[in-house]
Amino acid sequence: MLNPASLRQFLEAQLPAALELLRQMVGINSFTLNRTGLKQLGQFTAEAFAPLGFTAEFVPSTNPNFGEHLVLTRHGTGSKSLALISHLDTVFPPEEEARNNFHWQVEGDRIFGPGTHDIKGGTVMMWLVLQALRTHAPATFAATTWKLLLNSSEEMYSPDFGDVCRAQCDANTLGALVFESEGRLGNEHLMVVARKGRATWRVTATGRGAHAGGKLSHGANAVVQLALRLPRIAALTNYSRDLTFNVATVNGGTVLNRVPHAAVAEGEFRAFAPEVYQQAKAALLALAGPGEVRALTDGFPCEIQVAILTETRPWPRNADTDRLFEFWRQAGEALNYPVNFQERGGLSDGNLIWDSVPTLDGLGPWGDNDHCSERSADGTKLPEFVEQSAFVPKAALNTLAIVKLLTPNGD
Ligand SMILES: [Zn+2]
């Protein structure tokens, strides 16, 4: 087995180079719609992993507004392979970074900056782990085919990235390891073993416009109709089944002297269990049809339409993920580093591939305030940050667990 003390010592020595990589990555804006920045970050990432023996391939997204996915490959001498998954994009447009003066900023143990935690810190974690494997488990490193898969558009919607992953993985791929942030509970480090699925929806009410002064009774008021339907959507939330519906936006009407002919609401729902998700979808779609709001003059009814806009299916608890987690639990015991697991509400690329390749998530470092760029003077609002001290122990955990996964009978 690896010697934990010398592994940690090696990782400590690598940390300054890792943080310098992170600083440069954070300096490249890679908002999902910034195709130029994404290309620049993709090329920088390819160069960072080239000394480890990786070659780069850029794969266009099926959405022309998004940048190219990045696939980095290092072929091994043996048959086993492992996929490590991250993403290139962040949620921060360049204007927002400038407006909030949100840049790389070190304060004590914390490094603030766009993507420090979600997920450039995770990509740098991959780099640290691969450095450690090359030096401390050279035979395993050389025998394994490594696939680093970086989504260009994880923060928006990228079902096509699941196809990219499946094309790069085969029956010899022992796992897909996602480098999103870890969870914390007390002093326990939480790996992610399940994530909710999410659907976004639009509900449209159509009615009949009319002059509000002269012919109000001829109108069928779409705003009133939509307003009657929204509480029924909200009531589909069922906490005991881990099912949540969020009514997020409402728009309707045009000017004040018109009976409104149209109104639109949008939102999402989420669930862990595939059957709960499917029942929720059916219940939402069942709210379509003729409305109860009608014109007084001739009974003209409002009409409700329900559309599902996007769908990312759930990643439920499953035996393959649990088997992968067991290597992390064992590695945590060996390192005296308390490890546990959680089921998380947010999505990741794990949702796209868990049933094609055994998947474990949460391999990234600890930090907080993802997707936030604001800072208030009194410190009650703080932007996204990663903790420097989180890298070495987590990299040691990941390294040891990966060695156990690849050589279950010892190296
Ligand atoms: Zn992320």
Side-chain angles (χ1 to χ4, degrees):
M1 190 192 112
L2 295 178
N3 178 317
S6 65
L7 176 60
R8 280 200 200 94
Q9 207 172 29
F10 173 83
L11 288 165
E12 287 290 357
Q14 299 294 314
L15 186 62
L19 294 180
E20 175 56 21
L21 269 185
L22 181 58
R23 189 187 67 80
Q24 295 192 51
M25 287 179 177
V26 169
I28 302 170
N29 178 277
S30 62
F31 177 52
T32 315
L33 298 176
N34 180 1
R35 298 178 78 242
T36 311
L38 284 161
K39 184 72 182 192
Q40 200 188 338
L41 179 65
Q43 274 161 348
F44 179 83
T45 306
E47 281 163 28
F49 285 86
L52 281 158
F54 284 85
T55 52
E57 182 191 348
F58 287 90
V59 182
S61 167
T62 53
N63 184 329
N65 297 318
F66 297 160
E68 293 167 314
H69 308 303
L70 174 61
V71 176
L72 299 172
T73 305
R74 186 185 198 282
H75 287 288
T77 53
S79 60
K80 293 175 181 172
S81 83
L82 205 55
L84 312 186
I85 295 180
S86 181
H87 56 85
L88 295 169
D89 62 330
T90 74
V91 297
F92 304 109
E95 312 78 61
E96 181 181 337
E97 291 184 9
R99 188 171 62 244
N100 293 334
N101 193 23
F102 184 42
H103 300 293
W104 176 268
Q105 193 176 354
V106 182
E107 286 177 25
D109 193 24
R110 292 178 173 180
I111 305 173
F112 294 93
T116 46
H117 188 228
D118 185 10
I119 194 181
K120 293 171 181 178
T123 305
V124 164
M125 175 68 75
M126 273 185 189
W127 182 87
L128 268 175
V129 168
L130 290 165
Q131 293 280 350
L133 288 164
R134 182 174 66 170
T135 304
H136 285 263
T140 308
F141 181 74
T144 307
T145 292
W146 301 94
K147 292 277 183 181
L148 314 185
L149 308 169
L150 293 108
N151 189 343
S152 65
S153 42
E154 192 272 345
E155 298 289 2
M156 286 196 175
Y157 183 60
S158 49
D160 64 303
F161 184 69
D163 299 330
V164 173
C165 293
R166 273 181 287 278
Q168 295 293 333
C169 296
D170 60 21
N172 293 317
T173 307
L174 297 187
L177 306 174
V178 185
F179 281 71
E180 294 282 356
S181 64
E182 71 174 30
R184 282 274 174 96
L185 186 65
N187 67 341
E188 283 186 332
H189 304 262
L190 306 180
M191 309 301 293
V192 179
V193 297
R195 287 178 180 269
K196 282 184 173 175
R198 171 181 187 248
T200 58
W201 49 260
R202 176 185 298 140
V203 173
T204 306
T206 50
R208 186 165 69 190
H211 193 295
K215 287 186 75 175
L216 189 86
S217 60
H218 190 67
N221 191 314
V223 167
V224 172
Q225 177 61 70
L226 185 69
L228 289 170
R229 210 51 61 109
L230 296 181
R232 290 171 63 185
I233 298 173
L236 295 173
T237 290
N238 186 335
Y239 291 110
S240 69
R241 304 186 81 201
D242 274 322
L243 169 64
T244 56
F245 271 79
N246 184 37
V247 178
T249 66
V250 184
N251 283 290
T254 54
V255 292
L256 305 191
N257 58 353
R258 256 182 110 178
V259 175
H261 65 285
V264 180
E266 291 183 354
E268 57 151 54
F269 72 82
R270 298 186 190 232
F272 280 117
E275 61 275 15
V276 173
Y277 178 93
Q278 290 304 337
Q279 287 162 12
K281 185 177 164 183
L284 178 67
L285 291 172
L287 293 175
E292 55 271 57
V293 173
R294 290 166 175 270
L296 190 64
T297 52
D298 61 355
F300 179 92
C302 287
E303 181 78 20
I304 296 283
Q305 286 174 322
V306 180
I308 301 292
L309 303 177
T310 65
E311 280 194 276
T312 305
R313 78 272 175 67
W315 166 19
R317 278 300 290 281
N318 66 90
D320 284 338
T321 293
D322 288 351
R323 267 193 294 276
L324 268 186
F325 171 72
E326 186 57 23
F327 294 107
W328 267 256
R329 196 192 58 72
Q330 288 170 12
E333 264 174 20
L335 294 170
N336 201 15
Y337 183 83
V339 173
N340 214 328
F341 61 83
Q342 69 174 179
E343 303 181 19
R344 201 177 278 179
L347 306 173
S348 83
D349 290 319
N351 292 68
L352 304 178
I353 47 156
W354 66 272
D355 55 353
S356 301
V357 186
T359 300
L360 184 69
D361 197 346
L363 277 77
W366 168 254
D368 211 346
N369 300 344
D370 293 7
H371 297 200
C372 178
S373 69
E374 290 179 302
R375 181 192 286 268
S376 62
D378 65 357
T380 52
K381 272 189 195 174
L382 285 175
E384 174 178 341
F385 68 88
V386 72
E387 280 183 6
Q388 299 182 58
S389 61
F391 281 93
V392 167
K394 188 64 176 287
L397 177 81
N398 290 332
T399 303
L400 187 54
I402 288 171
V403 170
K404 284 174 182 287
L405 164 66
L406 290 168
T407 55
N409 302 314
D411 197 4

